[in-house]
Amino acid sequence: MLQSRQGWRELALSVLLAAHFTQAIKFWPFPQKRFTANSLIDAGSLGLTGDVRVAAFGDFDGDQSLDVLSIAEDEQTLSVYYWKHDSFSFEASTPFKHPRRILNAVPGDFTHTGKLDLLVMSEGTSKDQLDLTVYPALLSGGFDVDHPLKLPPSSLPQPIPIDIDGDMKIDLLGHPPTGDELQVWQNIWNASAPNPELYEVIPAPFHNARCKLLNPHSNAVVDLNGDCLADVFLVCDEGSGKKSYQIWINNKDEGFSLSQNGDLPSGVQSITFTDVDRDGTIDMIFPTCSSVSSSTGLGTDCYLNIAFNQQLSLCSSTTDSGLKKGIRVCRPPDDLCTPDSNFKFDLTDDPSNPLFVRFPLTSVLPKSESLLVMDTTYSPSLPSSLKLGDANLDGFPDILLIASHGQDRVPHMLWSVPCAKDLPGCGPEGNGRRSWKLADKDVESLEAIKDARTVSFLDLDEDGTLDIMVQRTGSAGHGKVTFVQNNFYYDAFFLKAIVLNGACDNGMCYGPNGTAKYHPFGVSYSGATYKYTVLDTAGHRSAAQVGQLPQTSYHSLQTPYSFFGLGRTNNYIENLFVGTTVHAKQHWIDMEGVIPNSRVVILPSAQEGESWRRELFLRPGEWIPWVTVTVIVGTAILAIIVFVLQLNEKREDELERRRASHNINFDAL
């Protein structure tokens, strides 16, 4: 009987302890991690179910989280999937159907209201033209599908968004339905007009331009001469399979001038722009293949090519003016937006040319047979470009691509690494700028995908890491979209930045008669430029450059914000230069002492002399609670030490008083 009572007491005690432990967990200050492994992790479809194709990214509801725009299987129905932080997934909005088959969709604030509209490029009434339609954004959310804005059509090469006249409104650059001359769809929107029109077609401000745009092309709006003002890169079709390029420099009100042109290498595929070697200039990187299968989109005998941009380098000292005998020889760290009219790309494949490096794909992927360069699951086929992003936050962009292994289409990550002996892209002695190495550790979730058709970088849940979205054919039975969470721990910092289009003053937009009030956080535009200098832990200063949304054509899937790793640093960002396309005397600003691991939002002003608004949002790191606990524990320990010392001091004072009271004054006797 006594043993029975003892057993019941032990059971009751166990239940009581379990209850107290459960209550303690509720008040535990550290949230349970969703992903714990230090690796790439398969996060699933995150709500993007069904036969959908992601066509573009954008912040459609202005909550500073990345949403996705999808095209349904019928290739006419569009849906926005909004990111929901609480459920860590996307939530579909009400879809709507476009009357014609969609070829591309580009989010942008075309009506300059501070909300994302939607430009849809679709099959035209003629086989040689594209129909262009803009669906304006509604203040209550979604798009005004009942009152779309019809635009003058274009030829089949997709026009690119560009601010051609410096008013920060989105214009378009492309060809008319007939003829090869370049034209501009100039934004003339005036909502207060009786019958407002969105665009007026005018000749492009490119003097004597002779360029028949390639279809598909790699045209881009990005700063190439280093003045923080976006230039134009065009890919031209020379006939008989030959391709050339043209670089047009932005001279603000004076239009554009042809700075450089030349032939592109044989077998060239899509061109991507990034600062490969972290020298503060935008370089070109692209694959070349000897042949491409029209049925599979696979290129054989492929090479990776890097064309480095030769410009003024960064001055080694902050006190260096950059001038020598009155001639600019380098850029001071506090003056990075100095143009270099002598910049150049040299695409000559010669060992004596340090500005052009190429190496075979098999040198980094020895088991790969070919490279996927065209996505043939869409008609017409879409270019599958190399995706560049700093996935490990070391300050150098890594490469994401899809290679074939027999019948499988497998995505791979290539880490950017310093040059060393026997590494691809480096000289015989290991000299060179950068090389790449296959990521082969803890990437099983990525390489387990065997039916990839496109890949892209994005930051899921805005946590400061570049994750991966893989679109799939569905033949493996795992759906059409898979997200791969980048859960590697890196002892490094990042910065995210977005330049808005100046649609609203003081960072706040208002609807008609003040009926709505909202922030224009989602309305980035093509052409913004970022340059920054940072000190590493050894005190070495380096500069880097990043462009904002330079390419939007052919489902390029670039994020509206710019993301760049800072590497290991124990300091603030010294100087962050932010450039726009405004035709003002100074089209850029310099921000000093920007805090790493933050998001910077720039609201420029198109008016001369008006100040720009800058907002910085800090991301609370996972270490914040631990720092709090450390401070509290440290304070408690110090308080205990002070309390003990105080008690000892009081005891010593009491003993001293007692000894003094027992002393005999012999002089008084």
Side-chain angles (χ1 to χ4, degrees), residues 25-71:
I25 290 178
K26 292 181 180 179
F27 293 100
W28 181 247
F30 309 111
Q32 184 178 1
K33 290 186 177 181
R34 186 178 299 273
F35 304 104
T36 57
N38 186 25
S39 63
L40 296 182
I41 300 173
D42 186 346
S45 63
L46 298 182
L48 267 67
T49 57
D51 193 0
V52 299
R53 170 184 288 273
V54 176
F57 297 127
D59 181 6
F60 291 92
D61 53 359
D63 64 349
Q64 300 196 61
S65 294
L66 193 68
D67 311 311
V68 299
L69 176 72
S70 73
I71 303 175

Side-chain angles (χ1 to χ4, degrees), residues 416-626:
S416 177
V417 295
C419 260
K421 192 174 182 180
D422 299 327
L423 286 181
C426 304
E429 302 301 324
N431 57 317
R433 303 200 184 193
R434 296 298 291 181
S435 181
W436 282 268
K437 182 180 180 181
L438 176 64
D440 56 2
K441 185 178 180 182
D442 299 321
V443 294
E444 292 80 10
S445 295
L446 179 65
E447 297 186 345
I449 299 172
K450 307 299 182 184
D451 59 342
R453 58 180 177 179
T454 67
V455 289
S456 54
F457 282 114
L458 76 164
D459 183 8
L460 285 173
D461 205 36
E462 311 298 321
D463 62 355
T465 59
L466 279 186
D467 309 299
I468 299 169
M469 184 185 72
V470 184
Q471 301 200 71
R472 312 173 68 165
T473 64
S475 60
H478 295 284
K480 291 298 184 74
V481 180
T482 295
F483 292 92
V484 179
Q485 175 79 19
N486 180 359
N487 207 51
F488 285 115
Y489 172 75
Y490 301 111
D491 185 17
F493 295 98
F494 72 92
L495 187 70
K496 294 177 70 172
I498 183 170
V499 174
L500 308 183
N501 65 348
C504 305
D505 296 330
N506 300 320
M508 187 63 67
C509 298
Y510 298 91
N513 301 320
T515 56
K517 182 179 179 181
Y518 54 92
H519 291 282
F521 284 140
V523 294
S524 66
Y525 75 106
S526 299
T529 300
Y530 307 94
K531 280 189 174 186
Y532 70 89
T533 57
V534 66
L535 291 171
D536 60 20
T537 53
H540 178 261
R541 179 180 290 102
S542 61
Q545 182 176 358
V546 182
Q548 177 174 288
L549 203 61
Q551 295 169 310
T552 58
S553 302
Y554 305 98
H555 301 196
S556 56
L557 288 176
Q558 295 185 350
T559 57
Y561 53 77
S562 294
F563 181 102
F564 32 99
L566 303 175
R568 297 187 64 192
T569 178
N570 53 9
N571 207 338
Y572 299 115
I573 300 173
E574 284 189 312
N575 296 89
L576 173 64
F577 288 83
V578 182
T580 66
T581 54
V582 173
H583 287 186
K585 182 178 181 181
Q586 184 166 303
H587 57 273
W588 50 267
I589 60 170
D590 176 15
M591 301 173 61
E592 297 182 355
V594 177
I595 303 173
N597 282 18
S598 61
R599 179 187 181 101
V600 179
V601 178
I602 308 296
L603 296 92
S605 174
Q607 302 298 323
E608 186 77 43
E610 290 189 6
S611 60
W612 295 12
R613 185 182 177 89
R614 291 160 277 187
E615 297 182 1
L616 186 141
F617 299 87
L618 287 175
R619 172 187 167 268
E622 296 178 356
W623 42 267
I624 293 294
W626 294 106

Side-chain angles (χ1 to χ4, degrees), residues 48-57 60 68-81 93 95-98 100-107 118-123 158 375 377-380 382 453 469 471-472 480-481 552 554-557:
L48 267 67
T49 57
D51 193 0
V52 299
R53 170 184 288 273
V54 176
F57 297 127
F60 291 92
V68 299
L69 176 72
S70 73
I71 303 175
E73 185 179 11
D74 63 0
E75 299 180 358
Q76 289 182 250
T77 302
L78 290 161
S79 299
V80 174
Y81 285 79
S93 64
F96 68 94
K97 192 170 184 177
H98 188 69
R100 293 184 177 273
R101 184 172 172 271
I102 298 171
L103 300 180
N104 192 29
V106 180
L118 188 60
L119 168 64
V120 176
M121 305 178 188
S122 58
E123 290 182 339
Q158 296 179 7
D375 177 12
T377 62
Y378 208 74
S379 179
L382 297 170
R453 58 180 177 179
M469 184 185 72
Q471 301 200 71
R472 312 173 68 165
K480 291 298 184 74
V481 180
T552 58
Y554 305 98
H555 301 196
S556 56
L557 288 176

